[in-house]
Amino acid sequence: MNYTETAYDLVRKAIISGKLKPRERLFDQSLANEFGFSRTPVREALRQLAAEGLIEVRGKVLYVGDIDLDYMIKVYQMRAALEGYAASLASPRIKDKDIEVMWQCLREQEKHQKQDNAPLVYAAGTQLHRVVLDNCGNDLMLESIIKLIEQTQRFRALTHWTLPNAEEFISEHTHLIEVVITRDGQKIEQAFRDHIVKTANKIERMKCSMK
């Protein structure tokens, strides 16, 4: 077992899920005791998470990183660029069974939308995206995108991000599927970029409304 990787995964999941709250102080010894590890792998895991921006370092004191709207705008912009390109790489690899899974994800979204169950709506939406992304053929790029997606999941969980207009939400994902069906890499890249950039623009408007 790689204890550093395990500690990294456990702390990262706790931050992404909101179990560890923004600005909450972190103690390596307490985490080590909780996980049953020594302090060394926990310290290394915390260093890695600090490098990702999920942990803030103030002198020798560690805190869970706060939610910053400017930072989240950059996350969505970066995700739009990477995910769009990954989707274009996936275009020739998409199979008919993948398209059917995407339609199933959309049906799940529609069902959960009617129940006003935001976490399950977003989970189905993430799965819809992953059907395409998992076919990109670039593991390094996919790993980077997954980390960005997890950052957006944390943002939604901690800010209680409201569900978008039902018709607009379903329409956007329907459009993504219809474009993926064409297997046209350029069109697919643009569709995914536009879809994700819309959220970055919404956060920008949210930031402006708070001034």
Side-chain angles (χ1 to χ4, degrees):
M1 176 186 291
N2 186 316
Y3 292 110
T4 298
E5 288 183 5
T6 302
Y8 169 87
D9 287 338
L10 290 171
V11 178
R12 195 171 200 283
K13 287 177 181 176
I15 293 174
I16 295 298
S17 68
K19 180 181 178 182
L20 289 173
K21 305 297 183 185
R23 300 183 296 279
E24 181 175 340
R25 187 171 177 180
L26 298 172
F27 298 91
D28 54 8
Q29 185 61 66
S30 296
L31 291 169
N33 291 341
E34 180 180 345
F35 302 149
F37 300 157
S38 69
R39 294 173 68 181
T40 300
V42 173
R43 283 177 173 173
E44 180 55 35
L46 295 177
R47 277 196 290 269
Q48 292 179 29
L49 291 165
E52 290 182 24
L54 289 175
I55 289 177
E56 183 179 347
V57 182
R58 302 179 197 169
K60 294 184 178 180
V61 182
L62 302 179
Y63 297 89
V64 176
D66 203 354
I67 291 292
D68 180 89
L69 294 183
D70 286 322
Y71 177 74
M72 288 311 305
I73 290 169
K74 293 174 183 177
V75 167
Y76 273 101
Q77 289 171 339
M78 190 173 186
R79 182 182 162 191
L82 285 177
E83 191 164 329
Y85 185 51
S88 73
L89 293 177
S91 58
R93 300 183 176 91
I94 296 292
K95 299 178 177 61
D96 289 343
K97 64 180 181 180
D98 295 318
I99 302 296
E100 180 50 43
V101 173
M102 293 181 75
W103 283 121
Q104 179 60 39
C105 290
L106 185 67
R107 289 191 288 270
E108 287 293 310
Q109 284 187 296
E110 290 175 322
K111 180 181 73 174
H112 298 310
Q113 182 95 35
K114 291 175 182 176
Q115 298 168 346
D116 198 30
N117 190 326
L120 291 182
V121 170
Y122 287 123
T126 298
Q127 184 56 39
L128 187 151
H129 283 246
R130 284 293 303 271
V131 172
V132 176
L133 299 174
D134 287 348
N135 282 285
C136 75
N138 186 321
D139 293 341
L140 184 60
M141 185 181 296
L142 180 60
E143 181 181 351
S144 297
I145 293 170
I146 290 172
K147 287 183 177 180
L148 293 172
I149 290 174
E150 289 175 344
Q151 293 260 31
T152 63
Q153 290 172 334
R154 177 177 183 244
F155 171 73
R156 288 196 298 259
L158 293 175
T159 58
H160 304 290
W161 188 256
T162 56
L163 288 172
N165 175 275
E167 285 189 15
E168 177 187 358
F169 194 65
I170 300 303
S171 175
E172 284 187 23
H173 284 92
T174 300
H175 176 64
L176 284 184
I177 298 173
E178 290 172 346
V179 174
V180 168
I181 289 173
T182 70
R183 271 73 165 189
D184 185 318
Q186 188 172 357
K187 289 182 179 179
I188 292 173
E189 179 171 2
Q190 191 62 53
F192 272 78
R193 281 177 182 262
D194 291 346
H195 173 60
I196 298 168
V197 164
K198 281 185 179 180
T199 303
N201 293 338
K202 288 178 182 177
I203 299 173
E204 184 68 51
R205 290 194 294 271
M206 178 194 296
K207 185 184 76 170
C208 291
S209 69
M210 296 170 65
K211 292 182 179 178

PDB file of all heavy atoms in Angstrom, residues 167-181:
ATOM      1  N   GLU A 167     -35.363  23.501 -18.821  1.00  0.00           N
ATOM      2  CA  GLU A 167     -35.356  23.406 -20.283  1.00  0.00           C
ATOM      3  C   GLU A 167     -33.974  23.701 -20.846  1.00  0.00           C
ATOM      4  O   GLU A 167     -33.488  23.013 -21.742  1.00  0.00           O
ATOM      5  CB  GLU A 167     -36.385  24.370 -20.886  1.00  0.00           C
ATOM      6  CG  GLU A 167     -37.822  23.910 -20.743  1.00  0.00           C
ATOM      7  CD  GLU A 167     -38.781  24.782 -21.536  1.00  0.00           C
ATOM      8  OE1 GLU A 167     -38.310  25.553 -22.404  1.00  0.00           O
ATOM      9  OE2 GLU A 167     -39.980  24.695 -21.276  1.00  0.00           O
ATOM     10  N   GLU A 168     -33.340  24.737 -20.298  1.00  0.00           N
ATOM     11  CA  GLU A 168     -32.000  25.105 -20.770  1.00  0.00           C
ATOM     12  C   GLU A 168     -30.998  23.994 -20.475  1.00  0.00           C
ATOM     13  O   GLU A 168     -30.171  23.637 -21.318  1.00  0.00           O
ATOM     14  CB  GLU A 168     -31.553  26.400 -20.089  1.00  0.00           C
ATOM     15  CG  GLU A 168     -30.134  26.831 -20.456  1.00  0.00           C
ATOM     16  CD  GLU A 168     -29.658  28.014 -19.642  1.00  0.00           C
ATOM     17  OE1 GLU A 168     -30.440  28.522 -18.813  1.00  0.00           O
ATOM     18  OE2 GLU A 168     -28.496  28.411 -19.816  1.00  0.00           O
ATOM     19  N   PHE A 169     -31.083  23.441 -19.273  1.00  0.00           N
ATOM     20  CA  PHE A 169     -30.147  22.410 -18.835  1.00  0.00           C
ATOM     21  C   PHE A 169     -30.232  21.168 -19.738  1.00  0.00           C
ATOM     22  O   PHE A 169     -29.224  20.653 -20.227  1.00  0.00           O
ATOM     23  CB  PHE A 169     -30.467  22.046 -17.388  1.00  0.00           C
ATOM     24  CG  PHE A 169     -29.397  21.245 -16.704  1.00  0.00           C
ATOM     25  CD1 PHE A 169     -28.150  21.781 -16.468  1.00  0.00           C
ATOM     26  CD2 PHE A 169     -29.652  19.953 -16.266  1.00  0.00           C
ATOM     27  CE1 PHE A 169     -27.175  21.057 -15.811  1.00  0.00           C
ATOM     28  CE2 PHE A 169     -28.680  19.226 -15.613  1.00  0.00           C
ATOM     29  CZ  PHE A 169     -27.439  19.779 -15.386  1.00  0.00           C
ATOM     30  N   ILE A 170     -31.455  20.690 -19.926  1.00  0.00           N
ATOM     31  CA  ILE A 170     -31.657  19.489 -20.741  1.00  0.00           C
ATOM     32  C   ILE A 170     -31.322  19.775 -22.206  1.00  0.00           C
ATOM     33  O   ILE A 170     -30.732  18.939 -22.901  1.00  0.00           O
ATOM     34  CB  ILE A 170     -33.115  18.987 -20.620  1.00  0.00           C
ATOM     35  CG1 ILE A 170     -33.434  18.636 -19.163  1.00  0.00           C
ATOM     36  CG2 ILE A 170     -33.346  17.785 -21.525  1.00  0.00           C
ATOM     37  CD1 ILE A 170     -32.525  17.606 -18.551  1.00  0.00           C
ATOM     38  N   SER A 171     -31.659  20.976 -22.657  1.00  0.00           N
ATOM     39  CA  SER A 171     -31.377  21.347 -24.047  1.00  0.00           C
ATOM     40  C   SER A 171     -29.880  21.337 -24.336  1.00  0.00           C
ATOM     41  O   SER A 171     -29.438  20.851 -25.388  1.00  0.00           O
ATOM     42  CB  SER A 171     -31.957  22.734 -24.335  1.00  0.00           C
ATOM     43  OG  SER A 171     -31.604  23.166 -25.639  1.00  0.00           O
ATOM     44  N   GLU A 172     -29.080  21.858 -23.418  1.00  0.00           N
ATOM     45  CA  GLU A 172     -27.625  21.904 -23.620  1.00  0.00           C
ATOM     46  C   GLU A 172     -27.041  20.497 -23.720  1.00  0.00           C
ATOM     47  O   GLU A 172     -26.191  20.227 -24.571  1.00  0.00           O
ATOM     48  CB  GLU A 172     -26.957  22.671 -22.472  1.00  0.00           C
ATOM     49  CG  GLU A 172     -27.130  24.169 -22.561  1.00  0.00           C
ATOM     50  CD  GLU A 172     -26.309  24.901 -21.519  1.00  0.00           C
ATOM     51  OE1 GLU A 172     -25.304  24.329 -21.038  1.00  0.00           O
ATOM     52  OE2 GLU A 172     -26.675  26.034 -21.179  1.00  0.00           O
ATOM     53  N   HIS A 173     -27.481  19.605 -22.843  1.00  0.00           N
ATOM     54  CA  HIS A 173     -26.942  18.246 -22.877  1.00  0.00           C
ATOM     55  C   HIS A 173     -27.471  17.454 -24.071  1.00  0.00           C
ATOM     56  O   HIS A 173     -26.764  16.602 -24.617  1.00  0.00           O
ATOM     57  CB  HIS A 173     -27.238  17.529 -21.556  1.00  0.00           C
ATOM     58  CG  HIS A 173     -26.343  17.983 -20.446  1.00  0.00           C
ATOM     59  ND1 HIS A 173     -26.688  18.996 -19.599  1.00  0.00           N
ATOM     60  CD2 HIS A 173     -25.103  17.581 -20.074  1.00  0.00           C
ATOM     61  CE1 HIS A 173     -25.698  19.189 -18.740  1.00  0.00           C
ATOM     62  NE2 HIS A 173     -24.733  18.365 -19.004  1.00  0.00           N
ATOM     63  N   THR A 174     -28.697  17.743 -24.478  1.00  0.00           N
ATOM     64  CA  THR A 174     -29.218  17.119 -25.694  1.00  0.00           C
ATOM     65  C   THR A 174     -28.376  17.541 -26.886  1.00  0.00           C
ATOM     66  O   THR A 174     -28.020  16.712 -27.741  1.00  0.00           O
ATOM     67  CB  THR A 174     -30.689  17.530 -25.931  1.00  0.00           C
ATOM     68  OG1 THR A 174     -31.479  17.116 -24.814  1.00  0.00           O
ATOM     69  CG2 THR A 174     -31.233  16.887 -27.200  1.00  0.00           C
ATOM     70  N   HIS A 175     -28.031  18.828 -26.922  1.00  0.00           N
ATOM     71  CA  HIS A 175     -27.199  19.345 -28.020  1.00  0.00           C
ATOM     72  C   HIS A 175     -25.831  18.670 -28.029  1.00  0.00           C
ATOM     73  O   HIS A 175     -25.314  18.310 -29.103  1.00  0.00           O
ATOM     74  CB  HIS A 175     -27.035  20.854 -27.889  1.00  0.00           C
ATOM     75  CG  HIS A 175     -26.124  21.461 -28.909  1.00  0.00           C
ATOM     76  ND1 HIS A 175     -26.407  21.450 -30.259  1.00  0.00           N
ATOM     77  CD2 HIS A 175     -24.910  22.079 -28.785  1.00  0.00           C
ATOM     78  CE1 HIS A 175     -25.430  22.046 -30.922  1.00  0.00           C
ATOM     79  NE2 HIS A 175     -24.507  22.420 -30.051  1.00  0.00           N
ATOM     80  N   LEU A 176     -25.238  18.470 -26.839  1.00  0.00           N
ATOM     81  CA  LEU A 176     -23.935  17.797 -26.783  1.00  0.00           C
ATOM     82  C   LEU A 176     -24.013  16.405 -27.403  1.00  0.00           C
ATOM     83  O   LEU A 176     -23.135  16.007 -28.185  1.00  0.00           O
ATOM     84  CB  LEU A 176     -23.454  17.685 -25.331  1.00  0.00           C
ATOM     85  CG  LEU A 176     -22.905  18.938 -24.640  1.00  0.00           C
ATOM     86  CD1 LEU A 176     -22.407  18.584 -23.244  1.00  0.00           C
ATOM     87  CD2 LEU A 176     -21.799  19.574 -25.457  1.00  0.00           C
ATOM     88  N   ILE A 177     -25.050  15.670 -27.049  1.00  0.00           N
ATOM     89  CA  ILE A 177     -25.193  14.313 -27.586  1.00  0.00           C
ATOM     90  C   ILE A 177     -25.369  14.356 -29.109  1.00  0.00           C
ATOM     91  O   ILE A 177     -24.743  13.577 -29.838  1.00  0.00           O
ATOM     92  CB  ILE A 177     -26.389  13.585 -26.938  1.00  0.00           C
ATOM     93  CG1 ILE A 177     -26.173  13.447 -25.432  1.00  0.00           C
ATOM     94  CG2 ILE A 177     -26.577  12.197 -27.564  1.00  0.00           C
ATOM     95  CD1 ILE A 177     -27.368  12.886 -24.675  1.00  0.00           C
ATOM     96  N   GLU A 178     -26.194  15.265 -29.575  1.00  0.00           N
ATOM     97  CA  GLU A 178     -26.445  15.366 -31.021  1.00  0.00           C
ATOM     98  C   GLU A 178     -25.176  15.700 -31.784  1.00  0.00           C
ATOM     99  O   GLU A 178     -24.949  15.190 -32.896  1.00  0.00           O
ATOM    100  CB  GLU A 178     -27.527  16.412 -31.280  1.00  0.00           C
ATOM    101  CG  GLU A 178     -28.908  15.979 -30.806  1.00  0.00           C
ATOM    102  CD  GLU A 178     -29.937  17.082 -30.881  1.00  0.00           C
ATOM    103  OE1 GLU A 178     -29.548  18.261 -31.053  1.00  0.00           O
ATOM    104  OE2 GLU A 178     -31.143  16.779 -30.765  1.00  0.00           O
ATOM    105  N   VAL A 179     -24.327  16.538 -31.194  1.00  0.00           N
ATOM    106  CA  VAL A 179     -23.063  16.884 -31.849  1.00  0.00           C
ATOM    107  C   VAL A 179     -22.094  15.701 -31.798  1.00  0.00           C
ATOM    108  O   VAL A 179     -21.383  15.426 -32.771  1.00  0.00           O
ATOM    109  CB  VAL A 179     -22.430  18.132 -31.196  1.00  0.00           C
ATOM    110  CG1 VAL A 179     -21.050  18.402 -31.791  1.00  0.00           C
ATOM    111  CG2 VAL A 179     -23.326  19.343 -31.393  1.00  0.00           C
ATOM    112  N   VAL A 180     -22.069  14.996 -30.663  1.00  0.00           N
ATOM    113  CA  VAL A 180     -21.184  13.825 -30.546  1.00  0.00           C
ATOM    114  C   VAL A 180     -21.547  12.769 -31.588  1.00  0.00           C
ATOM    115  O   VAL A 180     -20.670  12.104 -32.147  1.00  0.00           O
ATOM    116  CB  VAL A 180     -21.265  13.237 -29.121  1.00  0.00           C
ATOM    117  CG1 VAL A 180     -20.589  11.867 -29.056  1.00  0.00           C
ATOM    118  CG2 VAL A 180     -20.615  14.189 -28.118  1.00  0.00           C
ATOM    119  N   ILE A 181     -22.829  12.635 -31.870  1.00  0.00           N
ATOM    120  CA  ILE A 181     -23.288  11.654 -32.866  1.00  0.00           C
ATOM    121  C   ILE A 181     -22.650  11.908 -34.231  1.00  0.00           C
ATOM    122  O   ILE A 181     -22.378  10.963 -34.989  1.00  0.00           O
ATOM    123  CB  ILE A 181     -24.828  11.681 -32.971  1.00  0.00           C
ATOM    124  CG1 ILE A 181     -25.446  11.074 -31.701  1.00  0.00           C
ATOM    125  CG2 ILE A 181     -25.320  10.911 -34.202  1.00  0.00           C
ATOM    126  CD1 ILE A 181     -26.958  11.208 -31.636  1.00  0.00           C
TER     127      ILE A 181
END
